[in-house]
Amino acid sequence: MKGDWPRVVVLVPLVGAMMLSTPRASQVQPDFSGRWVLESVAHSADVPTALVVHQSLARTNVRGEPITPFVKDLTVIRESPGGNSSETFRIGTIGGTVPGSNRGPTSHRRVVWANTTLVIETGTFTGSAPERGEWTQRREVWAADSEGHLQVSITQSSSTEAPHTATFVYRRAEIGSPQ
């Protein structure tokens, strides 16, 4: 017990110094809100020709006190020739279904910022862990390029299909423009 005390005294200033010298992640995430129209060529009917994106900002904490605003969720309407779909992603969450809680496959989902890119990962599996049994994986990486375009790179793989990645470039539609 006596031998542990000096180590604690040494570690506390060391940890404090490391915290002060570590750069903080203060990069501002891009605003993906608005209507985006596909600029790159679509190779299948299920590729969205347009995305309508709404970002919700949190401005107060659970007690109603003001906080530095941050994007708490992203709602995406994907418009494609095969039909439209809508999905809301809660940013900063990791979740899914508990194995054995239903009769279907177990699912998982992760939505996080990686610097200035948004990463959305989803998947299902029937085995004891991801990529076990029958499984699917999808990873979307959203980034704004230097010209203000939205680049969405989608990597998909499954227990029956090798990984393949497609990148789509969208331009922001002007207000009042049908496309």
Side-chain angles (χ1 to χ4, degrees), residues 32-42 47-53 77 79 148-152 168-175 177-179:
F32 295 130
S33 294
R35 180 176 172 79
W36 298 87
V37 179
L38 183 66
E39 261 196 2
S40 55
V41 178
V47 173
T49 55
L51 302 172
V52 178
V53 181
I77 300 171
E79 299 176 357
H149 294 98
L150 169 61
Q151 292 189 5
V152 180
F168 304 98
V169 178
Y170 293 86
R171 66 174 164 75
R172 194 178 295 269
E174 295 185 27
I175 297 174
S177 164
Q179 281 199 331

Side-chain angles (χ1 to χ4, degrees), residues 113-165:
W113 286 106
N115 295 319
T116 58
T117 61
L118 183 66
V119 179
I120 303 168
E121 297 173 332
T122 58
T124 62
F125 57 95
T126 61
S128 58
E131 298 188 18
R132 301 278 193 255
E134 292 180 27
W135 57 272
T136 63
Q137 296 279 24
R138 178 181 173 99
R139 179 184 168 129
E140 293 185 31
V141 178
W142 289 43
D145 68 16
S146 61
E147 297 174 12
H149 294 98
L150 169 61
Q151 292 189 5
V152 180
S153 292
I154 302 171
T155 302
Q156 297 184 98
S157 60
S158 73
S159 52
T160 60
E161 190 175 317
H164 61 279
T165 301

Side-chain angles (χ1 to χ4, degrees), residues 11-107:
L11 285 177
V12 170
L14 180 62
V15 170
M18 287 172 46
M19 288 173 59
L20 291 174
S21 66
T22 304
R24 303 208 184 252
S26 61
Q27 295 178 339
V28 176
Q29 287 84 23
D31 183 2
F32 295 130
S33 294
R35 180 176 172 79
W36 298 87
V37 179
L38 183 66
E39 261 196 2
S40 55
V41 178
H43 297 289
S44 76
D46 63 343
V47 173
T49 55
L51 302 172
V52 178
V53 181
H54 174 72
Q55 292 181 188
S56 296
L57 289 178
R59 298 178 187 276
T60 59
N61 63 19
V62 293
R63 294 182 302 274
E65 301 162 339
I67 59 172
T68 302
F70 67 92
V71 179
K72 68 177 184 173
D73 58 44
L74 184 86
T75 299
V76 181
I77 300 171
R78 300 173 198 260
E79 299 176 357
S80 62
N84 297 351
S85 65
S86 176
E87 195 167 10
T88 298
F89 301 99
R90 293 196 54 88
I91 298 174
T93 61
I94 299 172
T97 58
V98 177
S101 66
N102 60 18
R103 301 228 180 258
T106 301
S107 67

